[in-house]
Amino acid sequence: MATKPKVAICWLGGCGGCDEAIVDLNEALLTVAEALDIVLWPVALDYKYDHVRAMADKEIKLSIINGNVRNSEQEEIAKLLRQKSQFVLGFGACACFGGTPGMANFRTKEDIFNWVYRDAPTVVNPKGNYPQPKSTVDGRELTLPEFFETVFALNQVIDVDYYLPGCPPPPNLIANAVTAMLENKLPRKGSSLAPHKALCDSCSRNNTKPAKIQLNEFKRIHEIEAKPDICFLAQGVLCLGIATRDGCGATCIDINMPCRGCFGPVEGVKDAGLKMIATLAAMIDTSNEAELEKIAAQIGDIAGYSYRFSLPTSMLRSLSQSAAKKGEEVGQ
Ligand code: SF4
Ligand code: SF4
Ligand code: SF4
């Protein structure tokens, strides 16, 4: 009897929604599970990392990894699965671009620890304890994973073969991706296993999208009663469908919410946030500085809006990091 391909499913720095999306395959999950030998899925099955450590290199056909990398344990597991796998699939916005937890990169580790262990109104920490990678209690050494300075997308830590975006990815694309992997019908390495066009192209409201979008007033979605069949941009509400990859089935648009970009940038765009900011700048119908400031204030948190899912992979971020590194080197 032919052996079944081994598959590992693993959750690093994420919310669990991506694992839940795999469970949401429902009956299809039974067919998938029948065709595969699942060797690691911590959320569902009691395998240990030592089972994986004992395997030969590349023994696993496919590792499906969701979540980003924020600490040393997640880094270690990502590297272990890379070593043991023929293919690694970055699964979900967190693995692909850093995801919403990646917005933590707007703050330093010190800011985050101070808030969580000292300043938040619900904190009770009279001794001012902060988590330490190593500590001694009753003569025993205890260890915790080291919390990194920043959040990393998966491909900033290991080589990633394919990407499946979404927060979380939808079941039809998950089933297609797993089938393509198992049948060796894969596109070129580095591809996204989602459509290559923009969400606008398949949006049911596209026929009401203005040919030239010129706005001098933005409204937040909670400030209006949005018409359910008119393009959000035509209603003055920011919608990231213009700069976002298609494939989610327009889930948000269908419940009358604008797109916030969880499928990441469209094909060929490296920086989703920059693309959105550039598109936004082209939409704003004024060159008067005071008016520009007023319009920008209506949008609120432009950086947060544009980089909601992709801050760790932003080009601005890596530029500022290399500038800081250069500064350190010069200061040495
Ligand atoms: S991509 Fe979304 S659903 Fe998946 S782990 Fe990240 S936050 Fe959760
Ligand atoms: S901007 Fe949004 S609402 Fe308008 S067509 Fe594109 S996805 Fe649809
Ligand atoms: S509409 Fe946008 S934010 Fe909503 S699921 Fe689709 S890609 Fe993600």
Side-chain angles (χ1 to χ4, degrees):
M1 198 175 77
T3 50
K4 295 178 186 177
K6 293 186 169 66
V7 170
I9 304 169
C10 195
W11 166 8
L12 303 178
C15 74
C18 278
D19 262 316
E20 188 56 45
I22 297 176
V23 175
D24 284 348
L25 287 171
N26 296 326
E27 306 89 66
L29 183 60
L30 297 177
T31 319
V32 170
E34 186 66 24
L36 306 172
D37 180 8
I38 297 177
V39 294
L40 181 79
W41 193 5
V43 83
L45 300 164
D46 188 23
Y47 285 103
K48 307 294 183 201
Y49 293 138
D50 276 346
H51 294 139
V52 178
R53 287 190 185 97
M55 289 179 179
D57 286 358
K58 309 288 176 211
E59 189 175 330
I60 299 172
K61 171 94 178 180
L62 168 66
S63 278
I64 300 173
I65 303 181
N66 75 74
N68 50 40
V69 177
R70 177 83 228 216
N71 67 38
S72 54
E73 182 193 10
Q74 292 156 357
E75 180 189 36
E76 183 190 338
I77 300 307
K79 287 183 172 169
L80 174 69
L81 288 174
R82 176 67 276 180
Q83 183 189 340
K84 304 291 178 183
S85 309
Q86 292 167 36
F87 297 109
V88 167
L89 174 66
F91 186 93
C94 290
C96 294
F97 331 110
T100 46
M103 286 208 286
N105 286 1
F106 281 124
R107 295 271 182 267
T108 64
K109 171 181 164 180
E110 191 184 2
D111 287 342
I112 293 167
F113 271 38
N114 284 344
W115 177 255
V116 172
Y117 294 100
R118 191 187 70 190
D119 299 336
T122 49
V123 170
V124 179
N125 183 7
K127 289 187 181 164
N129 290 334
Y130 281 57
Q132 304 296 328
K134 278 190 185 154
S135 52
T136 307
V137 176
D138 296 336
R140 294 179 186 203
E141 186 175 88
L142 304 179
T143 57
L144 282 176
E146 185 194 342
F147 190 87
F148 293 153
E149 286 295 332
T150 57
V151 174
F152 297 98
L154 192 58
N155 67 4
Q156 293 171 319
V157 175
I158 59 167
D159 189 31
V160 174
D161 299 296
Y162 296 100
Y163 300 86
L164 184 51
C167 183
N172 63 327
L173 292 190
I174 301 173
N176 290 349
V178 173
T179 308
M181 293 259 173
L182 297 178
E183 293 179 353
N184 287 323
K185 291 182 181 160
L186 289 161
R188 70 176 164 75
K189 182 177 154 90
S191 298
S192 173
L193 304 182
H196 297 323
K197 50 189 182 148
L199 179 62
C200 279
D201 294 338
S202 66
C203 176
S204 59
R205 306 183 192 210
N206 199 347
N207 59 354
T208 60
K209 189 168 87 175
K212 186 165 170 37
I213 304 163
Q214 295 278 257
L215 295 170
N216 52 19
E217 189 184 7
F218 285 95
K219 298 174 201 98
R220 314 286 291 277
I221 185 63
H222 62 274
E223 292 171 343
I224 63 163
E225 274 189 42
K227 295 188 181 74
D229 45 5
I230 305 291
C231 172
F232 283 109
L233 292 174
Q235 303 183 65
V237 174
L238 205 51
C239 178
L240 268 60
I242 33 179
T244 299
R245 188 185 287 273
D246 190 21
C248 65
T251 325
C252 301
I253 311 285
D254 286 351
I255 57 160
N256 214 11
M257 284 292 288
C259 173
R260 286 144 304 150
C262 79
F263 258 62
V266 286
E267 198 73 4
V269 172
K270 280 204 177 122
D271 190 314
L274 266 187
K275 172 78 181 167
M276 194 56 221
I277 290 167
T279 310
L280 198 56
M283 278 192 241
I284 294 176
D285 188 18
T286 183
S287 48
N288 177 299
E289 212 168 298
E291 208 181 352
L292 206 56
E293 260 183 47
K294 201 173 125 221
I295 296 171
Q298 290 164 353
I299 300 169
D301 176 10
I302 296 179
Y305 210 102
S306 304
Y307 285 109
R308 187 184 298 234
F309 295 96
S310 63
L311 186 61
T313 46
S314 87
M315 285 159 67
L316 291 180
R317 174 92 195 150
S318 46
L319 282 177
S320 76
Q321 276 175 332
S322 46
K325 200 161 170 242
K326 258 195 190 143
E328 276 167 26
E329 282 164 8
V330 169
Q332 273 171 5

